[in-house]
Amino acid sequence: QFTKIDALLQSLSHNKGSDSPLRAGVIDGDTPHCQRDDIANSCQIILTNPDTIHAAILPNWKKKRAYKDLLGRLTTIIIDEAHIYMGAFGAHVSIVLARLHRICRVASSPSNSPFERPKTLQYIATSATMANPEKVARLLCPIGEDESVCVLTAEDDGSPCSAKFFFVWNPPIVDINGNSTQSLFAPKNIEATSPRVKTDGAAIEAKEVVESANDVESRASTVVNIPIGRRKRQKKNCPAIPSRRHPHVHSEAFVRRRHAADETAFLFAKAIAAQTRCIVFCKTRMLVEWVYEATLKILSGSPKTSHL
């Protein structure tokens, strides 16, 4: 964050041609003590954490002139990823912010600063996964009951953003050998025997109609027989596996689709080949490695993408 903020400030100062450019600094446990005073005096933006505020800045604001001046001219406090400050940790941080708020008012008072009256602090909390932002902000920050809280949603975001497209991908049906059938729909059942009832007045006669071998052979090319194991079949209460006499009889329970991880690797490889910037999210680390290796295999198998 510091590197990006510092680069942004340098570009802004260069465009404006200001003699006193804006500076950003970091004061945390890794910052040498000999550099903290200079950072507090010369930087307009300071990145820190609740531990440093509690253990270093607030206890020494009267002893160190740099900390006193810093708290006296402080106007805005930004809390990044505010949703992580929950539970006991969030309660402790809220107490630290309340202390910081009181000390800033004292440090900016006319008796301790050149200002005519204490400065009013503004709090900005950022989060993308917060269900009740106003409630959390009031619990975390020292905001009075009569003070209003402005909540900006994604619709109020004014930052540049490209168009977004959402697709739902349905893996294709695979055959008994695990090869894709290039179809999203299960094959239709072919019944070797089927009862047919013929009604003639009051007499009802049932007759069994058997398909000829030629009909079965001609339609066998469109049928995908996908049997499953005994334990899985019993679990799903599936019918028995087709017999040798009628090898083309099957049920929809035998139909299975290609694994979503394989489809993800396929789409990922296609996107890379098309020079499309993308990122893939998986539920577990093992699944991430699976998709990664499958993607490399797909890319290396094509002469056009083997160099990638």
Side-chain angles (χ1 to χ4, degrees):
Q1 286 183 341
F2 169 73
T3 304
K4 294 182 178 180
I5 292 176
D6 187 57
L8 177 61
L9 293 178
Q10 289 182 5
S11 63
L12 292 176
S13 301
H14 178 72
N15 294 334
K16 293 182 179 180
S18 176
D19 296 336
S20 56
L22 298 176
R23 290 185 57 189
V26 179
I27 299 180
D28 56 13
D30 297 331
T31 306
H33 289 272
C34 59
Q35 300 179 7
R36 296 186 180 185
D37 290 351
D38 179 64
I39 295 174
N41 288 326
S42 59
C43 294
Q44 291 78 21
I45 300 176
I46 295 180
L47 282 75
T48 185
N49 52 64
D51 294 329
T52 302
I53 296 175
H54 168 69
I57 297 179
L58 296 184
N60 300 313
W61 76 277
K62 289 184 178 180
K63 301 177 183 178
K64 287 193 173 185
R65 183 70 182 181
Y67 289 165
K68 185 177 182 180
D69 295 341
L70 170 64
L71 298 178
R73 66 176 187 271
L74 189 63
T75 58
T76 306
I77 298 175
I78 301 176
I79 306 169
D80 192 19
E81 303 293 343
H83 56 270
I84 68 174
Y85 301 104
M86 297 294 181
F89 179 53
H92 295 165
V93 173
S94 66
I95 296 174
V96 172
L97 292 177
R99 289 177 52 209
L100 176 63
H101 186 86
R102 293 194 301 267
I103 293 177
C104 286
R105 289 187 61 87
V106 175
S108 62
S109 62
S111 59
N112 295 316
S113 67
F115 305 108
E116 298 181 356
R117 56 181 180 180
K119 287 192 172 183
T120 302
L121 290 178
Q122 182 181 17
Y123 294 89
I124 300 176
T126 62
S127 174
T129 57
M130 189 179 296
N132 302 311
E134 182 176 356
K135 180 180 179 180
V136 174
R138 290 188 179 276
L139 292 175
L140 183 62
C141 305
I143 302 175
E145 296 180 357
D146 56 339
E147 296 178 337
S148 61
V149 175
C150 180
V151 178
L152 298 179
T153 61
E155 290 75 10
D156 302 322
D157 187 7
S159 59
C161 181
S162 60
K164 294 182 177 62
F165 301 93
F166 297 89
F167 300 94
V168 179
W169 188 269
N170 195 9
I173 301 293
V174 295
D175 58 14
I176 192 172
N177 298 319
N179 299 321
S180 176
T181 61
Q182 305 297 329
S183 175
L184 297 179
F185 304 98
K188 297 181 179 180
N189 295 339
I190 296 181
E191 299 179 355
T193 60
S194 60
R196 182 173 298 177
V197 180
K198 182 178 181 180
T199 304
D200 187 9
I204 301 177
E205 178 184 0
K207 181 179 180 181
E208 182 178 4
V209 179
V210 181
E211 290 184 340
S212 64
N214 295 332
D215 294 337
V216 174
E217 183 177 359
S218 63
R219 296 168 60 182
S221 59
T222 62
V223 177
V224 181
N225 183 15
I226 309 176
I228 59 178
R230 179 185 301 177
R231 295 179 59 185
K232 193 171 183 181
R233 184 172 62 255
Q234 292 176 355
K235 183 178 179 181
K236 292 186 175 182
N237 194 19
C238 298
I241 295 179
S243 62
R244 294 183 179 179
R245 184 178 177 182
H246 307 295
H248 304 295
V249 180
H250 69 285
S251 172
E252 293 184 357
F254 298 153
V255 176
R256 56 191 175 95
R257 297 184 181 274
R258 191 179 180 187
H259 197 278
D262 295 331
E263 285 296 290
T264 302
F266 171 76
L267 295 175
F268 194 30
K270 288 292 185 180
I272 295 175
Q275 299 181 355
T276 303
R277 298 181 60 184
C278 55
I279 185 172
V280 175
F281 292 94
C282 299
K283 191 174 182 180
T284 61
R285 180 175 180 179
M286 183 179 298
L287 201 58
V288 170
E289 295 175 354
W290 175 282
V291 172
Y292 175 73
E293 294 177 357
T295 304
L296 291 181
K297 185 177 180 180
I298 295 174
L299 292 175
S300 60
S302 176
K304 298 181 180 180
T305 58
S306 59
H307 65 281
L308 297 177

